[in-house]
Amino acid sequence: DTEVTQTPKHLVMGMTNKKSLKCEQHMGHRAMYWYKQKAKKPPELMFVYSYEKLSINESVPSRFSPECPNSSLLNLHLHALQPEDSALYLCASSQDRQKDQPQHFGDGTRLSIL
Amino acid sequence: DAKTTQPPSMDCAEGRAANLPCNHSTISGNEYVYWYRQIHSQGPQYIIHGLKNNETNEMASLIITEDRKSSTLILPHATLRDTAVYYCIVRVGGIYNQGGKLIFGQGTELSVKP
């Protein structure tokens, strides 16, 4: 069982829809991350939040909009996605951004764009 | 870009030790080596990490060469449930700018066979 909870587990949406992915952790971690993983490929970092502030944006298109409303919750708002955005979206958290603090991952939301 | 090189696939007999190699010849002095694994349809699972000393936990052992240019993950008694993709990652140093990032390489697909 993972201590990082992601909902929903599966999401199918059209290109004109607006939806949100949710990630929650109650380990007191102050750094949270979004990754994208295409089939048969390794995860790729999208965003990093540290103490509820956006620290890293890996040049992600604006149709993906992250939000960190509090230290336990991380959202990813989706709007006008393209079929190539279909992927597994993973959330992770760590104590902070220190390099000796491991990141713990959720099991992801599998997103399909019609 | 990932700073590690791993063989794309390996086989291991059930009950035997699995030794997974990783090259990271450009590692910097303050960068940690992390190992994660990903079982199909799940999020990456943290296994172990180290700086320069060998490390052991309940899951595995990590052996880092003295020059830190390579390492080996050892699963002492592999089971069928250890079948997964194993990622060796050099974690970007520092807590500012790009610090704390995990940049995944292609990983090693380990198949444990009966």
Side-chain angles (χ1 to χ4, degrees):
Chain A
D1 288 343
T2 178
E3 295 178 67
V4 176
T5 304
Q6 292 188 243
T7 53
K9 294 192 185 304
H10 302 274
L11 179 62
V12 179
M13 58 186 287
M15 289 189 284
T16 59
N17 292 156
K18 285 185 181 180
K19 295 286 185 184
S20 296
L21 309 185
K22 180 179 172 182
C23 173
E24 202 162 1
Q25 57 86 16
H26 296 287
M27 295 179 281
H29 290 175
R30 303 310 298 271
M32 296 186 77
Y33 312 78
W34 280 115
Y35 290 81
K36 173 182 177 179
Q37 185 174 26
K38 301 282 282 184
K40 303 287 187 184
K41 296 291 186 183
E44 294 180 347
L45 183 67
M46 300 174 72
F47 302 104
V48 179
Y49 272 83
S50 179
Y51 290 83
E52 294 99 69
K53 294 191 188 313
L54 183 64
S55 299
I56 296 176
N57 176 342
E58 294 286 270
S59 302
V60 179
S62 60
R63 57 185 185 269
F64 295 92
S65 175
E67 178 196 21
C68 189
N70 60 59
S71 60
S72 300
L73 192 57
L74 185 67
N75 298 320
L76 186 63
H77 303 297
L78 314 172
H79 173 55
L81 295 195
Q82 303 298 308
E84 62 264 27
D85 296 322
S86 297
L88 180 67
Y89 288 84
L90 294 160
C91 173
S93 71
S94 63
Q95 191 71 34
D96 54 34
R97 282 177 61 190
Q98 291 282 2
K99 56 189 178 295
D100 62 343
Q101 299 293 330
Q103 294 179 23
H104 298 274
F105 286 79
D107 283 335
T109 293
R110 192 162 298 280
L111 177 65
S112 298
I113 307 299
L114 300 179
Chain B
D1 289 344
K3 299 176 71 172
T4 61
T5 305
Q6 299 176 253
S9 63
M10 292 181 62
D11 289 340
C12 178
E14 189 178 21
R16 304 297 295 268
N19 296 283
L20 292 94
C22 180
N23 286 321
H24 31 79
S25 57
T26 61
I27 192 170
S28 299
N30 66 347
E31 292 180 328
Y32 282 73
V33 178
Y34 275 76
W35 284 84
Y36 282 79
R37 72 181 182 184
Q38 189 170 23
I39 296 168
H40 183 61
S41 296
Q42 296 182 17
Q45 179 188 21
Y46 165 75
I47 301 173
I48 199 167
H49 72 283
L51 183 62
K52 49 185 161 184
N53 296 324
N54 297 338
E55 302 288 343
T56 296
N57 63 21
E58 65 278 4
M59 289 183 67
S61 294
L62 173 60
I63 308 298
I64 302 174
T65 58
E66 192 167 343
D67 63 8
R68 303 213 320 126
K69 293 185 177 181
S70 65
S71 60
T72 301
L73 179 75
I74 301 172
L75 307 178
H77 305 286
T79 71
L80 299 179
R81 287 179 294 180
D82 292 322
T83 293
V85 178
Y86 286 77
Y87 294 104
C88 169
I89 302 162
V90 170
R91 190 164 182 187
V92 177
I95 61 170
Y96 302 106
N97 299 323
Q98 302 297 300
K101 286 173 58 171
L102 289 177
I103 302 176
F104 287 77
Q106 297 302 310
T108 295
E109 190 162 3
L110 176 68
S111 296
V112 180
K113 299 182 184 300

